Amino acid sequence: MKLAGIILLLVSVVGFFFLLNYKRKGKLEQLTNKHILIIAGVSAAVSFVSLMLAAFGIRNESGISLSAGRAVFIVSMSLLLTLDLYYFVMAIWHRKYVLDEENFKKLRKILYITSIISGVMLIAFVTLYLESIAPFLSYPFNKLIIDFGKEKGVTYYAVFIIIGALTTYFISDYFVAKAGYGHGKLENCLYLAFPAGIVGGRIWYVIAEWEKEFAGYEFSKVFRIWEGGLAIQGGVILGAAVGIAYMMWKHKDIPIMFLIDTIVPGILLAQAIGRWGNFMNVEVYGAPVSVNSFPWLMLPTWVKNQMLLDNDPTKMYMPLFLIEGIFNVAGYFLIAYGVGRGLKKYLVPGDQGLLYLVVYGFIRFFLEPLRDPKFIMGSDSVMKSKIMAVVFIVAGILGIVALHVIDYLKKKKKNEQAAA
């Protein structure tokens, strides 16, 4: 029952998103808006049933009795989560692709405001749904979302990485289209940059952890990526390099600095989502803290139970995955909206992309010392990790300074030519 619910949920949600994506690109012209609404309703119903199947399947496996109040809690959260998810998606869809700006200004504004509210509430409903089934879950969680047996299957870590990459893609695609370049220009770039990022992350990790994990073992261990071991820094560098190279070759009509400003800051959101893979694997955590101390006592039950120490149920590992995720999301909004809009007149193309290096460098600089030592890359502990963070910060600042100097010299030369 649990497995059927999970598979059905993935099929209904992912299938619906792919359908919308094909419709958005004009490949399903036979589907009218009415058809989309009907399909959304059917997908929502299937998703609701899937969530309940998964929840009650987990309860059955646990063997713990189910009270009437808990059953109502599960059904209510399944329903509210489903309604909120599909309202969020359809509100954005109708505002962007169905209602023209000229005749539906008021309705578009309402959909805009309510989509933001529903997007925020989506986080709350996911949290509450998991809280409703928290007593029936086994801790620590299975690393596999779909288990094929013999420790093989689809890992949560992989799913969160893919969701993060798709989130960045759809946000970037939206802004690229909004700038007048059309939808879908980044799709092939995603197919190249994403695997390149995985390769880059692995290479960086292997280099940094060579003495600790790889020296003295068979060289094939380097390629066993399913055993874990990716470094975000290497993933960003190689993924961005491949993506930029492809766009410069294939889409010369789109300014490369505009793409850097649009895509790179969104990597922070992908990283925030990807960190939940670390949570599922119980890794990249900090020192033990008291479960009942502030602010940890405010965490949901399922988060605290996942992070509990084996030998002391009154203590949990500091959830650095969550702390970094929050800072990553805040960093994205700082770059995209705080700086991107608040300081727009002072910016030159490329500033926002390079600010990613500065912001993420600072996040890692301050959080790295809080990690449990076994999750700090390199043999010389915190210092090497801090040096990596400082390199990001310095590279970002120097890059921004260089862009502004170049921009100043160009304007100066242009003014001199105009005066002559």
Side-chain angles (χ1 to χ4, degrees):
M1 187 184 290
K2 180 186 75 173
L3 181 59
I6 292 173
I7 293 175
L8 202 58
L9 180 64
L10 289 173
V11 170
S12 61
V13 175
V14 175
F16 184 65
F17 272 92
F18 271 100
L19 182 144
L20 287 182
N21 188 42
Y22 276 103
K23 174 65 176 176
R24 177 180 60 83
K25 294 190 293 187
K27 295 183 178 181
L28 295 172
E29 296 181 1
Q30 67 273 26
L31 289 180
T32 65
N33 293 322
K34 183 179 179 180
H35 291 143
I36 294 293
L37 282 172
I38 293 172
I39 294 172
V42 173
S43 296
V46 173
S47 298
F48 169 61
V49 172
S50 302
L51 287 172
M52 288 199 299
L53 280 175
F56 290 114
I58 291 170
R59 204 288 307 174
N60 290 339
E61 288 184 0
S62 72
I64 300 173
S65 61
L66 177 66
S67 66
R70 181 65 61 173
V72 171
F73 189 16
I74 291 173
V75 174
S76 299
M77 289 306 105
S78 298
L79 180 61
L80 290 173
L81 172 56
T82 302
L83 292 175
D84 188 68
L85 171 62
Y86 282 88
Y87 178 82
F88 172 69
V89 174
M90 293 310 296
I92 294 175
W93 176 265
H94 274 72
R95 181 176 176 272
K96 181 65 181 175
Y97 301 107
V98 179
L99 305 177
D100 63 87
E101 191 170 354
E102 197 172 312
N103 298 321
F104 296 94
K105 289 183 179 180
K106 188 175 181 179
L107 182 55
R108 282 169 58 86
K109 187 174 182 180
I110 292 173
L111 289 177
Y112 176 71
I113 294 171
T114 55
S115 66
I116 293 176
I117 295 172
S118 63
V120 174
M121 291 302 297
L122 192 58
I123 299 173
F125 286 135
V126 169
T127 301
L128 288 171
Y129 171 78
L130 292 172
E131 192 69 9
S132 73
I133 61 175
F136 314 122
L137 296 171
S138 297
Y139 304 94
F141 299 140
N142 190 333
K143 296 180 181 181
L144 302 176
I145 188 171
I146 299 177
D147 193 342
F148 299 140
K150 297 182 179 180
E151 298 184 355
K152 294 182 180 180
V154 180
T155 65
Y156 283 97
Y157 190 79
V159 169
F160 281 118
I161 288 177
I162 292 171
I163 292 173
L166 289 175
T167 299
T168 300
Y169 164 73
F170 283 116
I171 291 173
S172 301
D173 181 72
Y174 168 78
F175 285 111
V176 168
K178 187 177 180 181
Y181 298 107
H183 288 288
K185 295 292 181 71
L186 303 177
E187 186 170 335
N188 290 334
C189 177
L190 172 67
Y191 299 148
L192 293 173
F194 178 67
I198 299 296
V199 172
R202 184 61 173 178
I203 292 173
W204 189 290
Y205 181 85
V206 169
I207 292 173
E209 297 284 63
W210 181 261
E211 292 296 328
K212 194 188 295 186
E213 285 194 34
F214 300 96
Y217 290 89
E218 294 181 8
F219 187 70
S220 62
K221 184 177 174 62
V222 169
F223 303 99
R224 296 176 200 162
I225 195 169
W226 56 88
E227 295 180 356
L230 293 175
I232 291 172
Q233 298 94 328
V236 170
I237 292 171
L238 188 58
V242 170
I244 290 169
Y246 172 79
M247 294 304 291
M248 290 179 69
W249 168 58
K250 200 70 177 178
H251 296 285
K252 298 178 181 179
D253 56 314
I254 308 178
I256 195 63
M257 287 301 182
F258 163 75
L259 288 173
I260 291 173
D261 285 338
T262 301
I263 300 171
V264 174
I267 295 174
L268 286 167
L269 296 179
Q271 291 170 193
I273 295 171
R275 280 301 178 199
W276 284 93
N278 296 133
F279 166 71
M280 297 301 298
N281 291 347
V282 194
E283 59 190 10
V284 195
Y285 48 71
V289 294
S290 173
V291 172
N292 296 316
S293 63
F294 183 83
W296 318 118
L297 58 84
M298 301 175 65
L299 291 172
T301 304
W302 51 275
V303 172
K304 290 187 285 190
N305 287 350
Q306 175 73 349
M307 304 302 293
L308 286 177
L309 271 67
D310 292 334
N311 58 353
D312 188 352
T314 66
K315 290 187 177 181
M316 58 178 282
Y317 294 111
M318 184 186 297
L320 285 183
F321 81 94
L322 182 60
I323 298 171
E324 183 176 322
I326 291 171
F327 280 123
N328 283 343
V329 173
Y332 169 76
F333 282 100
L334 172 66
I335 295 172
Y337 295 95
V339 174
R341 293 186 180 180
L343 301 176
K344 188 175 182 178
K345 64 180 180 179
Y346 302 109
L347 298 177
V348 300
D351 277 351
Q352 288 174 268
L354 288 170
L355 267 175
Y356 161 84
L357 298 178
V358 179
V359 169
Y360 189 61
F362 271 110
I363 292 172
R364 289 297 293 266
F365 182 84
F366 288 108
L367 292 186
E368 203 69 20
L370 299 178
R371 285 191 180 196
D372 185 287
K374 67 183 176 183
F375 296 114
I376 296 174
M377 286 195 302
S379 56
D380 49 358
S381 191
V382 177
M383 284 306 297
K384 180 173 285 188
S385 300
K386 278 193 170 183
I387 289 171
M388 293 178 184
V390 170
V391 168
F392 262 48
I393 295 169
V394 173
I397 292 174
L398 290 178
I400 291 171
V401 171
L403 288 178
H404 280 262
V405 170
I406 293 171
D407 182 68
Y408 170 77
L409 294 175
K410 284 183 177 179
K411 288 179 178 178
K412 183 179 179 181
K413 184 177 181 180
K414 188 176 180 180
N415 291 334
E416 288 175 351
Q417 289 176 342

